[in-house]
Amino acid sequence: MTLTDINHSIFVGAVLALLCVVASLLSRRFGAPILLVFLILGMLAGENGPGGIMFSDYSLAFLLGSLALAVIILDGGLGARKDTFRVSLKPALSLATLGVLLTAGITGFAVRWLFELPWLEAFLIGAIVGSTDAAAVFGLLRFAKLDLPERTSATLEIESGTNDPMAIFLTVSLVQLLVLKQDNPGGAMLLQFAQQMGLGTILGLAGGKGLVWLLRRMPLTAALYPLFVLAGGLSVFGAANHFGGSGFLAIYIVGVVIGNSPVPYSTDIHRFHDGIAWLSQIGMFVMLGLLVTPSHLPPIIMPAIAIALVLIFIARPVAVVLSLLPFRFPWRQQVFISWCGLRGAVPIILALFPSLAGLQNTDTFFELVFFVVLISLVLQGWTIAPLARWLKIELPKLTKEPDHKSLLLVPEHEKSLHIYEVLQGCRACFMRSAELPLSEGAQLTGIIRAGLYLKVSRAQKLEPGDQVMILGSADTSALGAFFAPVSAIDHSQNMAFFGEFVISPSARLLDVAEVYPFAVPDAYHDFTVAQFVNKKLHGKPVVGDRAVLETVMFVVREMKDLHIVSVGLKLKRIKVP
């Protein structure tokens, strides 16, 4: 490659990245799935498009795609809060293992029945498209800015971050069977699965804790902390793969451990990884668009549509219902989780395995899977937000903690310095400093006004534009609500979802029944509202959950430290005969 070619490649790559960023604005305007836009731009830049770029290096695509996916999964782990695992870990793991197996099996049977392929090849196609894609799920849920019940959103994100190992295991095992033609592979497959899951978990936990220990003790410059997390996460990813474990599971666990530990410059780490994850998504989907040849797609359009329809409308819903059966998810949330089984980069990357193993008809495998992913992104990606609203599972917009600066000062005591700006109209505006609801152990350390430091006094009033410095724990959600900007909340929508009345969770059911007449069964006579809701929700309530009693519905409005702190009461409509 000449110097001119290198310069041309840099220019084309930079222009493509710039177009992808600009296209995200159009995607938001017209509601198109952003990852679909990246994929189409890659196809337009390819050999059949106006870009005319020739790219067919499957090995390089697999390498770069795996690295990009690892970065995206690391970012997903950093954003996962540990308290969400209380209600979502078990169902997510069930979907990530049993769900993937059922999806792959049902799709494989359909491929065998529709196209009369050999059993192993049919199940290989099922395994390749069996897992949801972390990049697609993370990207679309966050880009759509949907406020979903925590149980639903956390289950989807944890599932998409942990189901790749099962899909990779199934794909690699079936490819090995096709290449080696083993007679009794059952024992070897189980051993390999245990090795991948076990080593991935152990190395992920050990690597995450080790990186946290180093982050707290290494005197790096501020700009190097995010890079250290990225390099450390990829090191654990590579080590897990090298020793036969699941690198994707390991790097997700690394992200979860670091994201839920007090480390220096945590805000900068999160922002950096959000940006690098977007760059990875752009690069990965554009590259995969370059890899496909659109002129080769027409012959496989009908088979791909048939597989996609079976996958979306039969295999995924059946797998979700059976996997979530023990966890008693509301049917509306099950429908939404079924529809969010988006396919993206992972199946396309897995479709490269047959080629790398030297199997026959690998181009057909790749193009077939590519078109299935295309259908999934168009059909499911375009309708996620409307479906959430139609199912009435989107939570009304509530006041959330504002952006603020945070600096970890005392790692061993988990003490951080938080700096909030007093915005016009926020609850803290014109409040006396003594009235701030500081948690135990927290203290107001200073106020900066017009660039000058003010001594703290109990009578000092906070004014718009003040910078308020507070030393406290990492969790400042309760305090942050006082500095949150005034948001245009649709109160009618809020009432329609949470109910017309707000009641205390400590109120006795019998007392509430006297005000809003309804019958209380004998078994609940001594129950408070919180005890009744916990009983109905099996001790794991989240915001938006509902518990029905006679003609009233109790809706969880607010949670703190795993306890219900606010409940809405909604009067059910009684049908008149």
Side-chain angles (χ1 to χ4, degrees):
M1 182 179 287
T2 65
L3 181 61
T4 302
D5 292 333
I6 293 174
N7 291 333
H8 178 72
S9 299
I10 294 173
F11 172 72
V12 171
V15 169
L16 273 175
L18 186 63
L19 286 174
C20 286
V21 174
V22 174
S24 68
L25 300 176
L26 299 176
S27 172
R28 182 171 298 180
R29 181 181 179 88
F30 297 106
I34 183 65
L35 302 182
L36 176 64
V37 175
F38 299 160
L39 206 59
I40 291 175
L41 281 173
M43 294 170 68
L44 291 174
E47 57 183 293
N48 287 157
I53 298 175
M54 303 289 292
F55 180 71
S56 58
D57 191 334
Y58 283 5
S59 297
L60 179 61
F62 180 77
L63 171 62
L64 297 179
S66 297
L67 286 173
L69 188 59
V71 171
I72 294 165
I73 291 177
L74 174 62
D75 178 60
L78 287 169
R81 293 178 293 110
K82 62 182 179 183
D83 53 342
T84 62
F85 287 82
R86 176 183 65 96
V87 293
S88 302
L89 181 60
K90 291 180 180 179
L93 291 181
S94 179
L95 285 170
T97 50
L98 178 62
V100 172
L101 189 61
L102 289 171
T103 303
I106 295 170
T107 306
F109 270 107
V111 171
R112 164 71 178 177
W113 180 70
L114 288 169
F115 309 113
E116 298 183 352
L117 287 175
W119 280 110
L120 284 180
E121 291 188 12
F123 283 126
L124 177 59
I125 293 176
I128 289 173
V129 299
S131 71
T132 61
D133 183 70
V137 173
F138 291 161
L140 285 173
L141 286 181
R142 294 175 184 178
F143 195 75
K145 294 185 176 179
L146 290 172
D147 283 330
L148 299 171
E150 186 178 54
R151 181 181 289 104
T152 302
S153 59
T155 296
L156 283 168
E157 293 202 1
I158 296 172
E159 178 211 0
S160 64
T162 57
N163 67 5
D164 296 333
M166 173 60 85
I168 293 170
F169 162 72
L170 291 175
T171 302
V172 171
S173 298
L174 289 167
V175 167
Q176 289 177 346
L177 289 178
L178 286 167
V179 172
L180 303 177
K181 303 185 184 303
Q182 294 176 329
D183 294 329
N184 297 305
M189 289 178 65
L190 288 175
L191 182 61
Q192 184 181 18
F193 177 74
Q195 178 181 338
Q196 286 199 5
M197 299 300 106
L199 278 177
T201 302
I202 293 170
L203 290 175
L205 287 171
K209 290 184 180 298
L211 289 172
V212 168
W213 187 87
L214 289 172
L215 282 167
R216 291 175 175 176
R217 287 162 177 81
M218 293 181 65
L220 301 174
T221 59
L224 291 180
Y225 282 94
L227 289 174
F228 181 80
V229 172
L230 177 62
L234 290 176
S235 298
V236 175
F237 171 76
N241 286 331
H242 178 73
F243 291 109
S246 171
F248 292 112
L249 178 60
I251 199 169
Y252 180 76
I253 293 175
V254 167
V256 171
V257 173
I258 295 176
N260 288 280
S261 301
V263 294
Y265 301 99
S266 60
T267 302
D268 294 338
I269 289 172
H270 283 277
R271 287 176 179 169
F272 171 83
H273 281 87
D274 281 344
I276 203 70
W278 271 109
L279 179 62
S280 298
Q281 290 185 66
I282 290 172
M284 179 168 59
F285 277 85
V286 169
M287 180 190 67
L288 295 175
L290 287 171
L291 202 58
V292 74
T293 305
S295 60
H296 295 173
L297 295 180
I300 55 91
I301 287 178
M302 295 311 296
I305 290 176
I307 294 172
L309 293 178
V310 169
L311 177 66
I312 294 170
F313 292 102
I314 300 175
R316 171 70 176 179
V318 170
V320 167
V321 170
L322 294 178
S323 299
L324 297 182
L325 197 59
F327 306 104
R328 306 185 187 185
F329 269 62
W331 71 267
R332 294 174 186 271
Q333 295 183 27
Q334 290 191 50
V335 171
F336 187 76
I337 290 172
S338 297
W339 196 250
C340 281
L342 286 109
R343 271 59 196 173
V346 174
I348 299 176
I349 292 172
L350 291 181
L352 301 175
F353 272 101
S355 173
L356 297 175
L359 294 178
Q360 300 296 318
N361 303 319
T362 54
D363 288 343
T364 303
F365 274 100
F366 179 79
E367 289 156 2
L368 187 67
V369 171
F370 182 90
F371 206 84
V372 169
V373 169
L374 205 60
I375 295 170
S376 175
L377 288 175
V378 171
L379 182 59
Q380 295 172 285
W382 220 303
T383 55
I384 279 182
L387 181 67
R389 298 183 183 105
W390 181 74
L391 290 171
K392 298 180 180 178
I393 64 170
E394 184 183 21
L395 298 178
K397 303 296 182 185
L398 299 174
T399 302
K400 294 186 177 180
E401 185 174 9
D403 291 334
H404 68 284
K405 298 180 178 64
S406 179
L407 177 64
L408 181 66
L409 296 180
V410 191
E412 57 270 21
H413 296 295
E414 300 186 0
K415 289 284 187 177
S416 297
L417 181 66
H418 305 277
I419 304 176
Y420 290 93
E421 181 180 358
V422 180
L423 303 175
Q424 183 71 46
C426 74
R427 295 168 64 186
C429 192
F430 302 117
M431 178 183 285
R432 297 183 187 277
S433 61
E435 297 171 344
L436 284 174
L438 299 179
S439 60
E440 184 178 354
Q443 62 184 104
L444 178 63
T445 59
I447 300 171
I448 298 176
R449 180 176 298 166
L452 299 175
Y453 177 81
L454 303 181
K455 292 182 179 180
V456 177
S457 67
R458 294 179 60 83
Q460 181 70 57
K461 281 190 176 183
L462 304 179
E463 297 182 1
D466 285 354
Q467 302 286 325
V468 181
M469 299 181 291
I470 297 168
L471 183 66
S473 64
D475 182 12
T476 59
S477 55
L479 179 64
F482 281 77
F483 294 94
V486 178
S487 57
I489 299 174
D490 187 344
H491 292 286
S492 61
Q493 183 187 17
N494 198 313
M495 289 176 62
F497 188 92
F498 288 109
E500 300 86 350
F501 310 100
V502 180
I503 60 176
S504 170
S506 60
R508 294 176 66 245
L509 277 179
L510 287 175
D511 294 337
V512 177
E514 291 181 2
V515 181
Y516 310 99
F518 59 89
V520 180
D522 293 342
Y524 300 129
H525 273 192
D526 296 327
F527 276 49
T528 64
V529 172
Q531 288 171 337
F532 170 74
V533 173
N534 274 302
K535 177 75 173 178
K536 285 289 186 179
L537 299 174
H538 313 289
K540 295 182 179 180
V542 297
V543 173
D545 274 352
R546 304 177 177 193
V548 178
L549 181 60
E550 295 291 330
T551 59
V552 299
M553 178 187 296
F554 298 103
V555 186
V556 180
R557 289 180 59 95
E558 187 179 353
M559 297 281 299
K560 183 179 180 181
D561 298 331
L562 308 182
H563 297 294
I564 301 172
V565 297
S566 179
V567 176
L569 186 144
K570 189 173 184 180
L571 301 176
K572 294 178 64 181
R573 293 180 181 177
I574 303 175
K575 295 182 179 180
V576 179

